[in-house]
Amino acid sequence: MSRRIAACALALAIGTLLSGCAVLPQQTDAADEAILRVVTLSREEEELVLRAVTAGIQTGDSSEPPETVEGRGADYEEARTDLKREREASLNHATDWVVEEDVFDEALKAFIIDPELTYAAHIYLLRDQSAGEFLAAFESEETGPSRTLSDLDRALEDRAVTVLEVSARLAAGEECKIPVLRAEEGKAEIEDEVTVKGWK
């Protein structure tokens, strides 16, 4: 991990803790803006793929199914811009990031360059399952992956890792264990842990 990235991450982590900025979801003014809860990041051929999913809403006898928006590009900034062209959507309410293992560095860089992202989000890795396959496992769920991941966050307690914890530990030169997920038929389970020691 380069000293510049480490210093940047440490400064952001300390600043975030002291100010409270970007730790808790912020309010948005646009009534028609999609509130995205779960974000995945993957690489397909030469493109970085950013997918984000709203939580489905059930009110009485009616329900609003989860909505998935997608952006693609050479890097995170291009993918985020592409996603915004598809749908004006807020990522500052995203509670969980599910990231393919080979783009983990790209996910951490996204939090450095995008002030909209909240460091309180939990982060998980995918190893033997693609992000597309992970999301497809929740197609029949009324809330998409949102409820399952929320339940998993609570069940893991101290084993659940936030982006703030990851960035602070790595910036301090410490290692960090990140849970590896796999999803099948609307359920997500921890199948392993990856020990991360630094950014490439």
Side-chain angles (χ1 to χ4, degrees):
M1 175 173 58
S2 73
R3 290 182 180 178
R4 185 176 178 183
I5 293 178
C8 218
L10 184 58
L12 281 169
I14 292 171
T16 300
L17 282 173
L18 293 176
S19 68
C21 294
V23 170
L24 297 175
Q26 301 168 7
Q27 294 297 318
T28 57
D29 294 327
D32 60 346
E33 189 176 72
I35 306 293
L36 301 167
R37 294 294 186 188
V38 177
V39 180
T40 67
L41 195 65
S42 59
R43 188 171 296 284
E44 296 180 9
E45 297 179 352
E46 299 302 314
E47 290 186 312
L48 198 66
V49 182
L50 178 69
R51 295 184 179 97
V53 188
T54 64
I57 300 171
Q58 179 106 30
T59 51
D61 295 331
S62 64
S63 63
E64 180 181 322
E67 177 186 356
T68 301
V69 291
E70 178 182 300
R72 294 171 177 262
D75 54 26
Y76 172 80
E77 289 177 296
E78 286 188 13
R80 181 71 179 107
T81 300
D82 187 48
L83 184 146
K84 282 186 173 180
R85 277 195 291 263
E86 179 183 338
R87 179 79 155 85
E88 187 58 39
S90 169
L91 289 178
N92 62 17
H93 290 272
T95 54
D96 296 275
W97 280 64
V98 182
V99 178
E100 290 184 8
E101 189 175 6
D102 63 340
V103 294
F104 173 68
D105 290 349
E106 297 289 342
L108 294 186
K109 289 175 187 174
F111 280 82
I112 291 175
I113 64 177
D114 189 346
E116 183 179 295
L117 305 183
T118 170
Y119 275 78
H122 293 89
I123 189 164
Y124 297 94
L125 296 180
L126 294 173
R127 175 178 283 166
D128 299 320
Q129 187 175 45
S130 71
E133 291 168 339
F134 176 85
L135 292 177
F138 298 95
E139 285 180 348
S140 62
E141 296 295 306
E142 290 181 348
T143 60
S146 178
R147 180 180 297 165
T148 295
L149 286 176
S150 178
D151 290 344
L152 188 60
D153 294 340
R154 286 193 297 272
L156 285 174
E157 296 181 344
D158 60 338
R159 288 178 61 208
V161 182
T162 66
V163 176
L164 177 61
E165 292 168 334
V166 172
S167 59
R169 288 180 191 173
L170 295 184
E174 301 173 2
E175 63 182 34
C176 186
K177 291 185 177 180
I178 303 177
V180 177
L181 284 185
R182 184 171 186 85
E184 302 285 348
E185 298 179 351
K187 301 293 181 186
E189 295 183 348
I190 302 298
E191 62 174 12
D192 201 356
E193 285 184 332
V194 169
T195 300
V196 179
K197 297 182 179 179
W199 282 318
K200 299 176 183 177

